[in-house]
Structure formats: structure tokens, C-alpha cells
Amino acid sequence: IARFTSVALALTLGMLMPACGGGGGSDDGGNGGMNPLTARVTAANSSPGPNTINMTASTSGANFTVKVNVTGINNFFGAAFDLTYNPADVNFVSPVTSNSVLITQGGGVQTQFNINESAPGVVSVSATRVGQFAGINVAGTSELLSLNFKAVDTTSNNPFAFGTAANRLVETCPTPPAACTDVPDGSLTWSGGTMSASG
């Protein structure tokens, strides 16, 4: 198994528990039951270049899905990171991994996803291939995974970000027996987004 697996699991300790929803927040979004909330998400980088991990999103009322994408990374084997946001305005609902490039272009190679709300406002993620295999050449932009959220209060600026460099990791693996490599964080672009909600 590539070294990524143990490193990523160390970064995301405790994520083997099933993902669970976030903390408080009423069903009416905290706006007194007046109007239902409508969430909007604006990506910081809608045209990512090579060596980028970025966010895009889709919304439906108070519910929204943050898609984490990979762009232009050769021999991509996996990634680990913390996705951070203000939990006063948002509840984490669930992950979706079925459309991951690790699966759709994986050629039947085993994959491992560990996704958990490790603290209020922090979803810790590890997504990787498993075993002695080469990574995937992601030439354009492909989905790594999606995360479902629900807005629970009005906000004009709730930043969604990829945590700090200390909690971020991308690993690339050429064809074995060549060694896998941790991509230097300074060689990558991590682009988040901003969520707003009104009612």
C-alpha cells in the first residue's frame, strides 16, 4: 500500500466513523419561520489551471452540494485535507463518492474514502487508491468527491476553504516499482469558495 494511506489516515484520525450531520440550527433556518432559506455558493476559481484542487457547487433551496475537483495532476493517487466553514450558518449532511475520478477512471482498483465531521465547521477528508498501482492522469478537471450541506441561517459571507498546508496532502504514484511522491503544497493551488444564504 502506498505511503499515502498511512499519512492520510494520520491526518484524518478518527474518520473511520460514519459521517454525521452538523450541530444545531432549526429547520426554518433560524429566520423565525418566515421564508425558507436559499443558499448560493460562489467558487473562488471557476477556471482552474494545472495542479489545482478547487470547489464548485450546486444549490437547491437551503441545500447545496460542494464538489471538490482535481485539475491537471498526473499520476494522481489521492488527497487528504480539511474543508472548513462557519458551522453557525451551515450543517454538514453527507458525502457522495460514487462519481469520484478514483472510481470512474480507476480501472477497478480498490479505493478508500474516509470523510467525517471531525469538529464543528471541519470536514476531514481522505480519498485514495489502495495498493501498488499507478495513479491517474487527470488532464482536465474531474470530480474527487462531493459534500452535501444545508444552510441553517442567513449569511452574506461564509468562506469554504481547504484548511492549512499542515493538513493538506496530494500524492502521485507513477507505474510501480517507481516510488510515490507527496506533491509539495507550494506547487498546488487550493481554491475554495463562499456561501451565502437569504430567506
Side-chain angles (χ1 to χ4, degrees):
I1 297 176
R3 192 177 72 83
F4 172 89
T5 304
S6 59
V7 174
L9 289 176
L11 286 175
T12 55
L13 184 63
M15 291 190 307
L16 294 176
M17 298 169 53
C20 58
S26 60
D27 287 341
D28 64 14
N31 62 358
M34 296 175 61
N35 296 318
L37 288 173
T38 299
R40 296 175 183 82
V41 181
T42 303
N45 184 0
S46 58
S47 300
N51 296 314
T52 297
I53 308 291
N54 79 301
M55 298 180 199
T56 55
S58 59
T59 62
S60 177
N63 301 303
F64 61 99
T65 299
V66 172
K67 183 190 296 184
V68 178
N69 304 300
V70 181
T71 300
I73 300 179
N74 290 329
N75 299 318
F76 177 75
F77 198 84
F81 53 86
D82 286 344
L83 189 147
T84 62
Y85 53 93
N86 184 349
D89 308 323
V90 171
N91 281 352
F92 173 55
V93 178
S94 64
V96 179
T97 60
S98 56
N99 295 321
S100 174
V101 65
L102 297 176
I103 296 173
T104 61
Q105 297 184 33
V109 173
Q110 182 181 351
T111 56
Q112 181 173 316
F113 296 88
N114 294 315
I115 303 168
N116 185 60
E117 188 180 33
S118 56
V122 180
V123 177
S124 295
V125 173
S126 169
T128 181
R129 308 185 96 190
V130 178
Q132 297 294 327
F133 300 99
I136 299 165
N137 289 330
V138 185
T141 296
S142 295
E143 178 178 341
L144 178 60
L145 53 87
S146 291
L147 302 169
N148 294 322
F149 294 89
K150 183 175 182 178
V152 295
D153 206 349
T154 57
T155 179
S156 60
N157 182 8
N158 189 331
F160 277 62
F162 285 109
T164 65
N167 291 319
R168 298 192 301 233
L169 173 68
V170 168
E171 185 173 60
T172 57
C173 294
T175 302
C180 296
T181 302
D182 296 346
V183 181
D185 194 75
S187 300
L188 297 164
T189 300
W190 298 82
S191 296
T194 302
M195 189 276 290
S196 62
S198 58

